[in-house]
């Protein structure tokens, strides 16, 4: 009797394994069958994403990257309105297939899988105070300085690691952090290079982008559901690596910065998209 029960259990486990394998192997084919690649998009997040309120059209280099992936798969692109924190949840829940422009952190890797880097970003300070421009992270890590940061972001994590002695003002939104610098409540804002470059052009009085030493480069990746099969993960990583190495990703990024009057010449010394 026991041997019969064991056989039934083994057969059941085998069937579950086959069903799980079939589900995993269907990732790319499911997208093709659906005819749509779904990604989260964030409003007012130039140069990554933005949505024209009149036409509903999305723009930004993350959109261009996603569109290229969709074209490679022979499907259309669908953008699901979201936010940075929710974009990870969208992928985790299956609401979206991929999330682009994601900063790879150990904590996020517990929720989603990461591709190879699409490009490298750097953590920076945006400040109107010229005297901060030559200071290192260690020198900025001083109680006499006050910095603003958006709560729970990757730059918040960097602030905790490199600026634990400085006074930090943590805000729910980046706009609030910008206001703190413009009004003089903070000496500078901690963020990433691409965001900082756009801020310096859009927000009057926020100052210039400064790159403290050492240069802290962080990989930007494509986030995928952990249930995605090995073939689909390999495809996204190969796409990321190929387009980063031949310069397509940099071209899309620079194109998305052009409307703000930003060119490669505006990139501070020591910064490169290739890492």
């Amino acid at each position: 009797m026991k041997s019969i029960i064991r056989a039934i259990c083994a057969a059941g486990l085998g069937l579950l394994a086959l069903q799980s394998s079939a589900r995993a192997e269907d990732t790319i084919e499911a997208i093709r069958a659906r005819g749509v690649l779904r990604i989260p998009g964030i409003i007012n997040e130039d140069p990554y994403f933005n949505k024209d309120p009149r036409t509903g059209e999305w723009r930004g280099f993350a959109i261009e990257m996603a569109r290229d992936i969709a074209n490679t798969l022979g499907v259309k692109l669908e953008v699901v309105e979201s936010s940075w924190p929710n974009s990870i949840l969208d992928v985790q829940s299956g609401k979206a297939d991929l999330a682009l422009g994601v900063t790879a952190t150990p904590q996020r890797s517990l929720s989603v899988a990461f591709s190879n880097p699409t490009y490298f970003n750097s953590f920076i300070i945006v400040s109107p105070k010229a005297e901060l421009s030559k200071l290192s992270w260690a020198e900025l890590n001083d109680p006499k300085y006050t910095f603003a940061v958006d709560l729970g972001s990757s730059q918040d994590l960097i602030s905790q690691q490199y600026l634990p002695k400085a006074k930090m003002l943590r805000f729910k939104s980046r706009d609030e952090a910008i206001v703190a610098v413009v009004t003089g409540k903070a000496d500078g804002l901690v963020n990433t290079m691409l965001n900082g470059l756009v801020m310096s052009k859009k927000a009057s009085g926020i100052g210039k982008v400064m790159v403290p030493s050492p240069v802290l480069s962080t990989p930007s990746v494509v986030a995928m559901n952990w249930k995605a099969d090995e073939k689909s993960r390999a495809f996204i990583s190969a796409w990321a690596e190929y387009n980063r190495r031949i310069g397509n990703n940099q071209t899309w990024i620079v194109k998305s910065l052009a409307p703000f009057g930003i060119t490669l010449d505006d990139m501070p010394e020591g910064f490169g998209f290739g890492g």
Side-chain angles (χ1 to χ4, degrees), residues 113-135:
F114 293 147
S115 71
N116 286 353
T118 52
Y119 64 93
F120 285 82
N121 213 338
S122 293
F123 292 102
I124 51 85
I125 301 290
V126 187
S127 174
K129 299 188 175 183
E131 61 269 26
L132 302 186
S133 63
K134 300 298 181 181
L135 300 185

Side-chain angles (χ1 to χ4, degrees), residues 146-192:
T146 300
F147 296 105
V149 70
D150 38 327
L151 183 68
S153 61
S154 56
Q155 47 268 22
D156 188 8
L157 297 177
I158 285 295
S159 299
Q160 294 172 37
Q161 184 174 353
Y162 284 87
L163 302 172
K165 295 179 182 178
K167 183 179 179 182
M168 300 301 302
L169 302 178
R170 292 181 164 85
F171 298 95
K172 291 183 179 180
S173 73
R174 187 179 307 149
D175 288 342
E176 291 175 287
I178 291 172
V179 170
V181 178
V182 173
T183 58
K185 293 180 181 178
D187 298 305
L189 180 147
V190 183
N191 214 284
T192 55

